[in-house]
Amino acid sequence: MASRDSRTTKDPLYSRKEKSLGLLCSNVFELILCSFLRLYNRDGVESIGLDAAALQLGVERRRIYDIVNILESIGEFHCLRKSERAGKRLQVLQRKAKNQYTWKGFDMIPAALKEQGLQEKFDTYVANVSNWKECGVLSNSKTDWQEKCSEAEKVPSCISARREKHRREKSLGLLTQNFVKLFLCSDVEVISLDRAALTLLGHSHDTTAMRTKVRRLYDIANVFSSMGLIEKTRDPESGKPAFRWIGLEKSCRHGSSSALDVKTSKRREFGNDITNTVAKRCHTSSSTGWKLNDKSTMGKCKNIVNDQLSVDQHQKYGSNDFVFGPFAPPNVTNTHEKKNEMQIQDWENLSSTYRPQYSNQVIGDLFHHYAEAWKSWYVEAEDKQQIEPES
DNA sequence: GCTTCCCGCCAACTA
DNA sequence: TAGTTGGCGGGAAGC
């Protein structure tokens, strides 16, 4: 590792901030959206190549792996039983083949995280963490690799499976999931990375292991920050740097989210904020929320995204097969038109007041899309209920 | 001086 | 066996 010095002090143009993982993650989102949506309608072309991404972003492939690992593991459920797991890999990004990843989208995040949070209570979770070294699992159920590990313990010669187990236990992906669970499975509002590392290490007080774990948590925290899932703050007790979860409204975990709840919390509920009117669906350039920056390519991409989203939305949700997405509205019980109009107006006011200020342009734009989708779903639900009133 | 985290080595894995 | 994946920790930037 002797060559590392050449990167910094000898290069006056070097800027650590420009190389940050968080910034890179934002760039990855932009790249993915541009690439994916540009290719969206071509048969069989739905994936992103790591080499192309690295080349286009001007970074090493190794850096892309870090981000990909984190995105890939956000909605991966190791706690589900095998039979339940089928079709429940709600990742933002999914590995398709060697070097190839499929973009799943941000709409997977709320459902995935919510379900993760519901899977385990914090006490059970921490108890399981403490038992890592003995059993090498996090939950009551077994995943594919865990099953392999059990086999490996029965057969002493099966060393590779043991190695895989060891590697998996220390993976960035697993750490990502556990970091998420620290927030979702407990009432912890703010947590420092030191404390998180200590919790995730169980009873171990190995300084080296702690430092390594904290380094990795910084990596994850940077990516999460760029996604708007967490924000940096201070630990109220120690005054040390810490992180606060803002990506998923807590009430979601208890299965009761109301649009008006937003008013009582400054936390942003990812994907559940409400906004827009029917008129806004007519996506004129001024109402779409696209703020063109000085990158002409981004401008083009955004137009493509905008057109594609509108078409998809119409195709997916405008048919008789009424299917709610992850941002489905709550059940509509009152069908009175005037009341609905008032609700919509209230929501518009709320959305303009509480609309999150994403630092990342693409995420902000996506938020706008989801908000519009939510609104249209609500109107369609309303229409449907008027046609088929509940018995 | 402490926090943050980039960077690339190199071992493990895969095709 | 070559190419891919990703754990790991040194050490420099930033505050």
Side-chain angles (χ1 to χ4, degrees):
Chain A
M1 302 189 186
S3 60
R4 282 180 190 156
D5 292 345
S6 62
R7 74 178 187 251
T8 55
T9 50
K10 289 176 186 172
D11 182 2
L13 297 176
Y14 176 85
S15 166
R16 187 168 152 136
K17 280 185 179 176
E18 285 173 12
K19 299 270 183 180
S20 80
L21 210 57
L23 183 63
L24 179 60
C25 185
S26 300
N27 291 337
V28 167
F29 291 149
E30 288 184 10
L31 179 71
I32 284 170
L33 284 171
C34 290
S35 305
F36 181 65
L37 289 164
R38 195 183 291 136
L39 299 170
Y40 194 78
N41 285 326
R42 293 192 206 165
D43 290 339
V45 184
E46 293 182 351
S47 59
I48 310 295
L50 282 189
D51 287 319
L55 195 68
Q56 232 168 321
L57 293 169
V59 297
E60 286 172 31
R61 161 194 281 262
R62 176 69 194 83
R63 303 281 74 78
I64 305 287
Y65 283 130
D66 285 336
I67 292 171
V68 158
N69 275 335
I70 293 168
L71 295 180
E72 208 184 0
S73 47
I74 285 180
E76 209 173 10
F77 304 143
H78 288 290
C79 39
L80 289 173
R81 279 187 291 277
K82 199 174 182 179
S83 57
E84 293 173 325
R85 219 168 52 240
K88 288 208 174 187
R89 294 170 67 87
L90 302 177
Q91 296 145 311
V92 178
L93 207 63
Q94 197 173 58
R95 190 171 190 268
K96 194 178 177 184
K98 188 175 81 176
N99 251 328
Q100 295 293 315
Y101 287 82
T102 305
W103 174 248
K104 293 293 180 182
F106 287 103
D107 52 348
M108 295 299 182
I109 296 176
L113 294 182
K114 184 180 173 183
E115 207 160 327
Q116 271 203 349
L118 289 169
Q119 284 298 316
E120 295 178 71
K121 284 294 169 193
F122 189 62
D123 294 343
T124 321
Y125 166 68
V126 169
N128 282 331
V129 167
S130 302
N131 290 330
W132 274 0
K133 285 186 180 173
E134 285 101 323
C135 59
V137 297
L138 258 178
S139 62
N140 304 328
S141 55
K142 290 184 177 181
T143 63
D144 293 342
W145 71 270
Q146 285 165 1
E147 279 162 8
K148 264 190 201 173
C149 296
S150 302
E151 288 304 311
E153 274 152 14
K154 289 175 196 166
V155 185
S157 61
C158 191
I159 298 167
S160 66
R162 282 185 181 175
R163 281 183 187 152
E164 187 186 340
K165 170 187 170 181
H166 180 75
R167 200 173 163 85
R168 173 67 206 178
E169 278 175 18
K170 302 202 167 192
S171 74
L172 194 65
L174 189 59
L175 188 60
T176 300
Q177 290 168 24
N178 294 333
F179 188 51
V180 168
K181 284 177 184 175
L182 277 182
F183 288 106
L184 296 187
C185 302
S186 73
D187 292 324
V188 170
E189 289 273 332
V190 172
I191 191 164
S192 71
L193 297 187
D194 282 348
R195 198 175 140 206
L198 205 62
T199 309
L200 296 174
L201 277 170
H203 300 302
S204 170
H205 294 291
D206 184 343
T207 318
T208 311
M210 262 290 286
R211 283 185 61 189
T212 302
K213 196 68 84 179
V214 170
R215 283 191 190 105
R216 297 291 80 79
L217 285 173
Y218 274 120
D219 292 342
I220 296 166
N222 275 332
V223 173
F224 278 11
S225 291
S226 83
M227 295 168 74
L229 289 177
I230 59 173
E231 68 177 0
K232 198 173 179 183
T233 179
R234 293 269 165 188
D235 188 296
E237 290 173 13
S238 65
K240 280 196 161 191
F243 288 89
R244 182 199 310 278
W245 183 262
I246 56 171
L248 186 71
E249 181 64 40
K250 270 207 160 185
S251 60
C252 267
R253 288 189 285 131
H254 306 296
S256 63
S257 67
S258 151
L260 295 175
D261 288 343
V262 178
K263 217 169 187 173
T264 61
S265 170
K266 287 187 178 179
R267 280 190 172 189
R268 177 161 43 82
E269 185 173 358
F270 203 106
N272 282 338
D273 287 3
I274 304 150
T275 185
N276 303 319
T277 62
V278 180
K280 284 187 181 178
R281 273 196 82 190
C282 299
H283 59 85
T284 58
S285 60
S286 60
S287 64
T288 53
W290 298 121
K291 298 170 193 166
L292 298 178
N293 57 19
D294 51 4
K295 295 177 191 171
S296 61
T297 49
M298 273 305 293
K300 287 174 190 170
C301 289
K302 283 169 182 173
N303 289 334
I304 295 168
V305 169
N306 200 19
D307 292 343
Q308 187 62 56
L309 291 178
S310 302
V311 170
D312 288 350
Q313 196 173 306
H314 190 73
Q315 285 174 344
K316 284 180 184 174
Y317 307 110
S319 67
N320 291 332
D321 299 321
F322 200 82
V323 180
F324 284 132
F327 297 89
N331 288 335
V332 183
T333 53
N334 192 323
T335 58
H336 196 277
E337 273 190 1
K338 282 189 178 179
K339 189 174 179 182
N340 293 336
E341 283 173 14
M342 282 176 68
Q343 282 183 332
I344 289 168
Q345 283 169 6
D346 286 345
W347 292 343
E348 277 198 301
N349 292 335
L350 274 175
S351 67
S352 62
T353 306
Y354 292 98
R355 178 180 171 140
Q357 300 301 306
Y358 291 100
S359 57
N360 183 296
Q361 176 70 50
V362 176
I363 298 179
D365 293 340
L366 278 171
F367 167 81
H368 186 82
H369 160 64
Y370 289 135
E372 289 205 354
W374 199 101
K375 175 63 188 304
S376 70
W377 287 328
Y378 181 87
V379 171
E380 286 183 61
E382 187 75 5
D383 294 343
K384 190 181 168 70
Q385 290 227 347
Q386 282 177 352
I387 296 166
E388 300 170 15
E390 283 183 11
S391 57

